[in-house]
Amino acid sequence: RLPAEPLLLPACALPWAGAAHPRATGKPINPHAACGARPSWWKCAEGTTRTAAVRGVYEYSHYTQDSLDDSGWGCAYRSLQTCVSWYRLQFYSDKEVPGIHDIQRLLQRIDEAHKDIVIGSKKWIGTVEAMYLLQDYLGVDCRMLYCRDVADMASQVPQLLQHFEQEGTPVMMGAGQYAYTLVSICFDTATGEVGFLIVDPHYTGADNIKSILQKGWVGWKGLDFFQKATDG
C-alpha cells in the first residue's frame, strides 16, 4: 500500500507550456531550436540523411556573461557551463552552474596539473579539464574522442549520432585553441556530407536570440568551419 503523501519532489515538477523553467537564470534557453533539423544548405536525399539532437533544455553561456570579461580565453569555461546547465535543467543535479572562478577552485582541488592555478587569472582550460570537472562535480561518466584532423573528425560522426540518440546531452568540442558546444548532427550516409549545429561561446553581445542567430553564433556549420579554427 502506498503512503498517503506525495512521492515526488516539488523540484521535479515541469513548468506549464509557456511558463519559465523553475531553474532558469535568464540566460538564453535552447537558442538552436530555430535552426531546424538540418542546415538550410542541405541538398542530400531524404532517405540517406540521419539527424540527432540534444534532448531537453540547456542555457547558452558565452563570453562576458555574469559581469566577467573573459573574451579571448574563457570559451571552454563557457562551453562547460552550457553542459552543466543541461544536467541542472533536466533535474539530474541540484548543483548550481559554477562560475569561472568556481571552476578554477575545483580544478585547483582535483587536478594536480592545476594545483597552482591563480583564482581569477585568465588561465585557459580545454576539453580534458572539462571532462575532469564533469566527472568530479556532477559524478557523470565522460568519454573523450580524439581527432587527428578535420577528416578524422568526420569519421567520428556515427559515434556522435549514437551519443545524441542514446544520451542526448550537449557535447563540448575543441578545435585548435577554440571550444564549442555541439547540440545536433546531420549526416548523409551515402555521401558523407555532415552538418554540425554549434552553440558558440565566443559571442560577446547581449542575450538577444534573434541577433545571435542572424550573426551565426548559433547555427549549422560544415567541416570547413573547424578547419579554419584549427588553422588559427
Side-chain angles (χ1 to χ4, degrees):
R1 184 178 178 180
L2 293 175
E5 62 262 2
L7 298 178
L8 297 176
L9 295 173
C12 292
L14 296 176
W16 293 104
H21 193 288
R23 290 186 171 180
T25 66
K27 293 179 180 178
I29 290 181
N30 282 23
H32 75 282
C35 296
R38 61 194 63 187
S40 59
W41 38 262
W42 196 259
K43 300 188 186 309
C44 300
E46 185 75 27
T48 57
T49 295
R50 291 182 60 193
T51 62
V54 65
R55 297 200 301 269
V57 295
Y58 62 88
E59 288 190 321
Y60 173 31
S61 292
H62 59 77
Y63 279 168
T64 71
Q65 285 178 330
D66 311 314
S67 302
L68 177 63
D69 185 1
D70 54 319
S71 300
W73 58 272
C75 57
Y77 293 93
R78 299 302 187 174
S79 181
L80 174 63
Q81 288 176 332
T82 297
C83 292
V84 172
S85 77
W86 185 91
Y87 289 91
R88 178 169 171 76
L89 295 186
Q90 264 58 245
F91 300 99
Y92 290 136
S93 174
D94 290 328
K95 292 188 175 181
E96 300 289 338
V97 176
I100 287 180
H101 296 168
D102 297 322
I103 292 171
Q104 291 176 337
R105 291 187 188 94
L106 287 166
L107 269 179
Q108 192 179 61
R109 176 176 62 82
I110 67 173
D111 184 14
E112 179 67 20
H114 288 81
K115 63 184 178 62
D116 296 322
I117 189 173
V118 176
I119 309 304
S121 67
K122 298 180 179 181
K123 175 73 173 178
W124 290 26
I125 64 171
T127 50
V128 172
E129 290 84 0
M131 181 180 69
Y132 294 158
L133 286 157
L134 283 171
Q135 292 178 153
D136 181 83
Y137 189 62
L138 297 181
V140 298
D141 292 329
C142 299
R143 182 182 178 190
M144 185 77 70
L145 294 178
Y146 290 97
C147 303
R148 295 184 302 275
D149 50 31
V150 170
D152 190 32
M153 180 180 169
S155 72
Q156 306 285 359
V157 166
Q159 295 187 68
L160 291 169
L161 276 167
Q162 184 181 55
H163 167 81
F164 283 122
E165 291 168 350
Q166 296 181 357
E167 309 296 337
T169 73
V171 174
M172 182 176 175
M173 303 177 70
Q177 297 180 334
Y178 302 94
Y180 303 98
T181 310
L182 177 68
V183 294
S184 185
I185 283 277
C186 184
F187 177 61
D188 184 70
T189 57
T191 66
E193 181 82 13
V194 60
F196 302 85
L197 185 45
I198 295 297
V199 175
D200 192 335
H202 301 93
Y203 173 65
T204 59
D207 286 334
N208 182 303
I209 292 182
K210 182 178 180 180
S211 177
I212 290 168
L213 294 173
Q214 287 179 341
K215 295 178 180 179
W217 292 104
V218 173
W220 286 101
K221 312 295 182 184
L223 285 170
D224 58 325
F225 174 82
F226 297 102
Q227 186 64 62
K228 291 175 183 176
T230 56
D231 289 343

